[in-house]
CSV table of all heavy atoms in Angstrom, one decimal:
chain,number,residue,atom,x,y,z
L,718,GLU,N,7.1,-4.1,0.6
L,718,GLU,CA,6.8,-4.9,1.9
L,718,GLU,C,6.8,-4.1,3.1
L,718,GLU,O,7.9,-3.7,3.6
L,718,GLU,CB,7.9,-6.1,1.9
L,718,GLU,CG,7.6,-7.2,3.0
L,718,GLU,CD,6.2,-7.6,3.4
L,718,GLU,OE1,5.6,-6.9,4.4
L,718,GLU,OE2,5.7,-8.6,3.0
L,719,THR,N,5.5,-3.6,3.4
L,719,THR,CA,5.4,-2.5,4.4
L,719,THR,C,6.0,-2.9,5.9
L,719,THR,O,6.2,-2.0,6.6
L,719,THR,CB,3.9,-2.3,4.6
L,719,THR,OG1,3.3,-2.3,3.3
L,719,THR,CG2,3.6,-1.0,5.1
L,720,SER,N,6.1,-4.2,6.0
L,720,SER,CA,6.5,-4.6,7.4
L,720,SER,C,8.1,-4.5,7.5
L,720,SER,O,8.6,-4.3,8.6
L,720,SER,CB,6.2,-6.1,7.6
L,720,SER,OG,6.9,-7.0,6.8
L,721,THR,N,8.9,-4.3,6.3
L,721,THR,CA,10.3,-4.2,6.5
L,721,THR,C,10.8,-3.0,5.7
L,721,THR,O,12.0,-2.6,5.9
L,721,THR,CB,11.0,-5.4,5.7
L,721,THR,OG1,10.5,-5.5,4.4
L,721,THR,CG2,10.6,-6.8,6.4
L,722,GLY,N,10.0,-2.3,5.0
L,722,GLY,CA,10.5,-1.2,4.1
L,722,GLY,C,11.4,-1.6,3.0
L,722,GLY,O,12.3,-0.8,2.6
L,723,VAL,N,11.1,-2.8,2.4
L,723,VAL,CA,11.8,-3.2,1.2
L,723,VAL,C,10.8,-3.0,-0.1
L,723,VAL,O,9.7,-3.5,0.0
L,723,VAL,CB,12.1,-4.8,1.2
L,723,VAL,CG1,12.7,-5.2,-0.2
L,723,VAL,CG2,13.3,-4.9,2.3
L,724,ALA,N,11.4,-2.3,-1.0
L,724,ALA,CA,10.7,-2.2,-2.3
L,724,ALA,C,11.3,-2.9,-3.3
L,724,ALA,O,12.6,-3.0,-3.5
L,724,ALA,CB,10.6,-0.8,-2.7
L,725,THR,N,10.6,-3.7,-4.1
L,725,THR,CA,11.2,-4.5,-5.2
L,725,THR,C,10.9,-4.0,-6.5
L,725,THR,O,9.7,-3.6,-6.8
L,725,THR,CB,10.6,-6.0,-5.2
L,725,THR,OG1,9.1,-5.9,-5.1
L,725,THR,CG2,11.2,-6.7,-3.9
L,726,PRO,N,11.8,-4.0,-7.4
L,726,PRO,CA,11.5,-3.6,-8.9
L,726,PRO,C,10.5,-4.7,-9.4
L,726,PRO,O,10.6,-6.0,-9.1
L,726,PRO,CB,12.8,-3.8,-9.6
L,726,PRO,CG,13.8,-4.4,-8.6
L,726,PRO,CD,13.1,-4.6,-7.4
L,727,LEU,N,9.6,-4.3,-10.2
L,727,LEU,CA,8.6,-5.1,-10.7
L,727,LEU,C,9.1,-5.6,-12.1
L,727,LEU,O,9.2,-4.9,-13.2
L,727,LEU,CB,7.1,-4.6,-10.9
L,727,LEU,CG,6.6,-4.0,-9.6
L,727,LEU,CD1,5.2,-3.4,-9.8
L,727,LEU,CD2,6.6,-5.2,-8.6
L,728,HIS,N,9.1,-6.9,-12.4
L,728,HIS,CA,9.3,-7.5,-13.7
L,728,HIS,C,8.8,-8.9,-13.7
L,728,HIS,O,8.7,-9.6,-12.7
L,728,HIS,CB,10.8,-7.5,-14.2
L,728,HIS,CG,11.7,-8.2,-13.2
L,728,HIS,ND1,11.8,-9.5,-13.3
L,728,HIS,CD2,12.4,-7.8,-12.2
L,728,HIS,CE1,12.7,-9.9,-12.4
L,728,HIS,NE2,13.0,-8.8,-11.6
L,729,ARG,N,8.3,-9.3,-14.8
L,729,ARG,CA,7.7,-10.7,-15.0
L,729,ARG,C,8.8,-11.8,-14.5
L,729,ARG,O,9.9,-11.7,-15.0
L,729,ARG,CB,7.1,-10.9,-16.3
L,729,ARG,CG,5.9,-9.9,-16.6
L,729,ARG,CD,5.3,-10.1,-17.9
L,729,ARG,NE,4.2,-9.2,-18.1
L,729,ARG,CZ,2.9,-9.4,-17.5
L,729,ARG,NH1,2.7,-10.5,-16.9
L,729,ARG,NH2,2.1,-8.4,-17.6
L,730,ARG,N,8.3,-12.8,-13.8
L,730,ARG,CA,9.3,-13.9,-13.4
L,730,ARG,C,8.9,-15.3,-14.0
L,730,ARG,O,9.2,-16.3,-13.3
L,730,ARG,CB,9.3,-13.9,-11.8
L,730,ARG,CG,9.6,-12.5,-11.3
L,730,ARG,CD,10.2,-12.4,-10.1
L,730,ARG,NE,10.4,-11.1,-9.6
L,730,ARG,CZ,10.9,-10.6,-8.5
L,730,ARG,NH1,11.3,-11.5,-7.6
L,730,ARG,NH2,11.1,-9.4,-8.3
L,731,GLY,N,8.1,-15.2,-15.0
L,731,GLY,CA,7.8,-16.5,-15.6
L,731,GLY,C,6.6,-16.3,-16.5
L,731,GLY,O,6.2,-15.2,-16.8
L,732,GLU,N,5.9,-17.4,-16.9
L,732,GLU,CA,4.9,-17.4,-17.8
L,732,GLU,C,3.5,-16.8,-17.3
L,732,GLU,O,2.7,-16.3,-18.1
L,732,GLU,CB,4.6,-18.8,-18.4
L,732,GLU,CG,5.7,-19.4,-19.2
L,732,GLU,CD,5.8,-18.7,-20.5
L,732,GLU,OE1,4.8,-19.0,-21.4
L,732,GLU,OE2,6.7,-18.0,-20.8
L,733,GLY,N,3.3,-17.1,-16.0
L,733,GLY,CA,2.0,-16.9,-15.4
L,733,GLY,C,1.7,-15.3,-15.2
L,733,GLY,O,2.3,-14.5,-15.7
L,734,LEU,N,0.4,-15.2,-14.7
L,734,LEU,CA,0.0,-13.8,-14.4
L,734,LEU,C,0.9,-13.3,-13.3
L,734,LEU,O,1.2,-13.8,-12.3
L,734,LEU,CB,-1.5,-13.7,-14.0
L,734,LEU,CG,-2.4,-14.2,-15.0
L,734,LEU,CD1,-3.8,-14.1,-14.4
L,734,LEU,CD2,-2.4,-13.4,-16.3
L,735,THR,N,1.2,-11.8,-13.3
L,735,THR,CA,2.0,-11.2,-12.3
L,735,THR,C,1.0,-10.6,-11.4
L,735,THR,O,0.4,-9.5,-11.9
L,735,THR,CB,3.0,-10.4,-12.9
L,735,THR,OG1,3.9,-11.1,-13.7
L,735,THR,CG2,3.8,-9.6,-11.8
L,736,LEU,N,0.9,-11.0,-10.1
L,736,LEU,CA,0.0,-10.3,-9.1
L,736,LEU,C,0.7,-9.5,-8.2
L,736,LEU,O,1.7,-10.1,-7.6
L,736,LEU,CB,-0.9,-11.4,-8.4
L,736,LEU,CG,-1.4,-12.6,-9.1
L,736,LEU,CD1,-2.1,-13.6,-8.2
L,736,LEU,CD2,-2.3,-12.2,-10.3
L,737,VAL,N,0.4,-8.3,-8.0
L,737,VAL,CA,1.4,-7.5,-7.3
L,737,VAL,C,0.5,-6.8,-6.1
L,737,VAL,O,-0.4,-6.0,-6.3
L,737,VAL,CB,1.9,-6.4,-8.1
L,737,VAL,CG1,2.9,-5.4,-7.1
L,737,VAL,CG2,2.7,-6.8,-9.2
L,738,ASP,N,0.9,-7.2,-4.8
L,738,ASP,CA,0.3,-6.4,-3.6
L,738,ASP,C,1.1,-5.0,-3.6
L,738,ASP,O,2.2,-4.9,-3.3
L,738,ASP,CB,0.6,-7.3,-2.4
L,738,ASP,CG,0.1,-6.6,-1.2
L,738,ASP,OD1,-0.3,-5.4,-1.2
L,738,ASP,OD2,0.1,-7.3,-0.2
L,739,ALA,N,0.4,-4.1,-4.0
L,739,ALA,CA,0.9,-2.8,-4.0
L,739,ALA,C,0.3,-1.8,-2.9
L,739,ALA,O,0.2,-0.6,-3.2
L,739,ALA,CB,0.7,-2.1,-5.4
L,740,THR,N,-0.2,-2.5,-1.9
L,740,THR,CA,-1.0,-1.7,-0.9
L,740,THR,C,-0.3,-0.4,-0.5
L,740,THR,O,-0.9,0.7,-0.4
L,740,THR,CB,-1.4,-2.7,0.3
L,740,THR,OG1,-2.1,-3.8,-0.4
L,740,THR,CG2,-2.3,-2.0,1.3
L,741,SER,N,1.0,-0.5,-0.1
L,741,SER,CA,1.6,0.7,0.4
L,741,SER,C,2.3,1.4,-0.7
L,741,SER,O,2.7,2.6,-0.6
L,741,SER,CB,2.6,0.4,1.5
L,741,SER,OG,3.5,-0.5,1.2
L,742,ALA,N,2.6,0.7,-1.8
L,742,ALA,CA,3.4,1.3,-2.9
L,742,ALA,C,2.6,2.1,-3.9
L,742,ALA,O,3.1,3.3,-4.4
L,742,ALA,CB,4.1,0.3,-3.7
L,743,ALA,N,1.3,1.7,-4.1
L,743,ALA,CA,0.4,2.3,-5.2
L,743,ALA,C,0.3,3.8,-4.9
L,743,ALA,O,-0.2,4.2,-3.8
L,743,ALA,CB,-0.8,1.6,-5.2
L,744,GLY,N,0.8,4.7,-5.8
L,744,GLY,CA,0.6,6.0,-5.7
L,744,GLY,C,2.0,6.8,-5.3
L,744,GLY,O,2.0,8.0,-5.5
L,745,GLY,N,2.9,5.9,-4.9
L,745,GLY,CA,4.2,6.6,-4.5
L,745,GLY,C,5.4,5.9,-5.1
L,745,GLY,O,6.5,6.5,-5.0
L,746,ILE,N,5.3,4.9,-5.8
L,746,ILE,CA,6.4,4.2,-6.6
L,746,ILE,C,5.9,4.0,-8.0
L,746,ILE,O,4.9,3.5,-8.4
L,746,ILE,CB,6.8,2.9,-6.0
L,746,ILE,CG1,7.0,3.1,-4.5
L,746,ILE,CG2,8.0,2.3,-6.7
L,746,ILE,CD1,7.5,1.7,-3.8
L,747,ALA,N,6.9,4.5,-9.0
L,747,ALA,CA,6.5,4.4,-10.3
L,747,ALA,C,6.8,3.0,-10.9
L,747,ALA,O,7.7,2.3,-10.3
L,747,ALA,CB,7.6,5.4,-11.2
L,748,PHE,N,6.0,2.5,-11.9
L,748,PHE,CA,6.3,1.2,-12.5
L,748,PHE,C,5.6,1.2,-13.8
L,748,PHE,O,4.9,2.2,-14.2
L,748,PHE,CB,5.6,0.0,-11.5
L,748,PHE,CG,4.1,0.1,-11.6
L,748,PHE,CD1,3.4,-0.7,-12.4
L,748,PHE,CD2,3.5,1.1,-10.8
L,748,PHE,CE1,2.0,-0.7,-12.2
L,748,PHE,CE2,2.1,1.0,-10.9
L,748,PHE,CZ,1.4,0.2,-11.5
L,749,ASP,N,5.8,0.2,-14.7
L,749,ASP,CA,5.2,0.1,-16.0
L,749,ASP,C,4.0,-1.0,-15.9
L,749,ASP,O,4.2,-2.1,-15.6
L,749,ASP,CB,6.2,-0.4,-17.0
L,749,ASP,CG,5.7,-0.4,-18.4
L,749,ASP,OD1,4.5,-0.2,-18.6
L,749,ASP,OD2,6.5,-0.6,-19.3
L,750,PRO,N,2.8,-0.4,-16.1
L,750,PRO,CA,1.6,-1.2,-16.0
L,750,PRO,C,1.8,-2.6,-16.9
L,750,PRO,O,1.2,-3.7,-16.6
L,750,PRO,CB,0.5,-0.5,-16.5
L,750,PRO,CG,0.9,1.0,-16.2
L,750,PRO,CD,2.4,0.9,-16.5
L,751,ALA,N,2.6,-2.5,-18.0
L,751,ALA,CA,2.7,-3.6,-18.9
L,751,ALA,C,3.5,-4.8,-18.3
L,751,ALA,O,3.4,-6.0,-18.7
L,751,ALA,CB,3.6,-3.2,-20.1
L,752,ASP,N,4.2,-4.5,-17.1
L,752,ASP,CA,4.9,-5.6,-16.3
L,752,ASP,C,3.9,-6.2,-15.3
L,752,ASP,O,4.5,-7.1,-14.5
L,752,ASP,CB,6.1,-4.9,-15.5
L,752,ASP,CG,7.1,-4.5,-16.5
L,752,ASP,OD1,7.3,-5.1,-17.7
L,752,ASP,OD2,7.9,-3.5,-16.2
L,753,VAL,N,2.7,-5.9,-15.2
L,753,VAL,CA,1.8,-6.4,-14.1
L,753,VAL,C,0.5,-6.8,-14.7
L,753,VAL,O,0.0,-6.3,-15.7
L,753,VAL,CB,1.6,-5.5,-13.0
L,753,VAL,CG1,2.9,-5.0,-12.4
L,753,VAL,CG2,0.8,-4.2,-13.4
L,754,ASP,N,-0.2,-7.8,-14.0
L,754,ASP,CA,-1.6,-8.3,-14.5
L,754,ASP,C,-2.6,-7.9,-13.5
L,754,ASP,O,-3.6,-7.6,-14.0
L,754,ASP,CB,-1.6,-9.8,-14.7
L,754,ASP,CG,-0.6,-10.1,-15.9
L,754,ASP,OD1,-1.0,-9.7,-17.0
L,754,ASP,OD2,0.4,-10.8,-15.7
L,755,ALA,N,-2.2,-8.0,-12.2
L,755,ALA,CA,-3.2,-7.6,-11.2
L,755,ALA,C,-2.5,-6.7,-10.2
L,755,ALA,O,-1.5,-7.2,-9.4
L,755,ALA,CB,-3.9,-8.6,-10.5
L,756,TYR,N,-2.6,-5.3,-10.2
L,756,TYR,CA,-1.8,-4.5,-9.3
L,756,TYR,C,-2.9,-3.9,-8.2
L,756,TYR,O,-3.7,-3.1,-8.6
L,756,TYR,CB,-1.1,-3.4,-10.1
L,756,TYR,CG,-0.2,-2.4,-9.3
L,756,TYR,CD1,1.1,-2.8,-9.2
L,756,TYR,CD2,-0.7,-1.2,-8.9
L,756,TYR,CE1,1.9,-1.9,-8.7
L,756,TYR,CE2,0.1,-0.3,-8.3
L,756,TYR,CZ,1.5,-0.7,-8.2
L,756,TYR,OH,2.4,0.2,-7.5
L,757,TYR,N,-2.8,-4.5,-7.1
L,757,TYR,CA,-3.9,-4.2,-6.2
L,757,TYR,C,-3.4,-3.5,-4.9
L,757,TYR,O,-2.3,-3.7,-4.5
L,757,TYR,CB,-4.7,-5.5,-5.8
L,757,TYR,CG,-3.9,-6.6,-5.1
L,757,TYR,CD1,-3.8,-6.7,-3.7
L,757,TYR,CD2,-3.1,-7.5,-5.9
L,757,TYR,CE1,-3.0,-7.7,-3.1
L,757,TYR,CE2,-2.4,-8.5,-5.4
L,757,TYR,CZ,-2.2,-8.5,-4.0
L,757,TYR,OH,-1.5,-9.4,-3.4
L,758,PHE,N,-4.4,-2.7,-4.3
L,758,PHE,CA,-4.1,-2.0,-3.1
L,758,PHE,C,-5.3,-1.6,-2.3
L,758,PHE,O,-6.4,-1.8,-2.7
L,758,PHE,CB,-3.2,-0.8,-3.5
L,758,PHE,CG,-3.8,0.1,-4.5
L,758,PHE,CD1,-4.7,1.1,-4.2
L,758,PHE,CD2,-3.7,-0.2,-5.9
L,758,PHE,CE1,-5.2,1.9,-5.2
L,758,PHE,CE2,-4.2,0.6,-6.8
L,758,PHE,CZ,-5.1,1.7,-6.7
L,759,SER,N,-5.0,-1.0,-1.2
L,759,SER,CA,-6.1,-0.4,-0.4
L,759,SER,C,-5.9,1.1,-0.2
L,759,SER,O,-4.8,1.6,-0.4
L,759,SER,CB,-6.1,-0.9,1.2
L,759,SER,OG,-6.0,-2.4,1.1
L,760,PRO,N,-6.9,1.9,0.1
L,760,PRO,CA,-6.8,3.4,-0.1
L,760,PRO,C,-6.2,4.1,1.2
L,760,PRO,O,-6.0,5.2,1.1
L,760,PRO,CB,-8.2,3.9,-0.4
L,760,PRO,CG,-9.1,2.8,0.0
L,760,PRO,CD,-8.3,1.4,0.2
L,761,GLN,N,-6.0,3.4,2.2
L,761,GLN,CA,-5.5,4.1,3.4
L,761,GLN,C,-3.9,4.2,3.6
L,761,GLN,O,-3.5,4.5,4.6
L,761,GLN,CB,-6.0,3.4,4.8
L,761,GLN,CG,-5.4,2.1,5.1
L,761,GLN,CD,-5.9,0.8,4.3
L,761,GLN,OE1,-6.5,1.0,3.2
L,761,GLN,NE2,-5.7,-0.4,4.9
L,762,LYS,N,-3.3,4.0,2.5
L,762,LYS,CA,-1.7,4.2,2.6
L,762,LYS,C,-1.4,5.3,1.7
L,762,LYS,O,-1.7,6.6,2.0
L,762,LYS,CB,-1.1,2.9,2.3
L,762,LYS,CG,-1.7,1.8,3.2
L,762,LYS,CD,-0.8,0.5,3.5
L,762,LYS,CE,-1.7,-0.3,4.5
L,762,LYS,NZ,-0.8,-1.5,4.9
Side-chain angles (χ1 to χ4, degrees):
E718 185 32 278
T719 320
S720 64
T721 64
V723 168
T725 47
L727 299 181
H728 57 85
R729 296 185 180 276
R730 309 204 182 179
E732 291 287 291
L734 299 178
T735 301
L736 316 182
V737 182
D738 179 352
T740 305
S741 60
I746 308 182
F748 70 101
D749 183 348
D752 290 333
V753 304
D754 294 298
Y756 187 85
Y757 59 93
F758 52 95
S759 305
Q761 75 276 21
K762 305 204 178 180

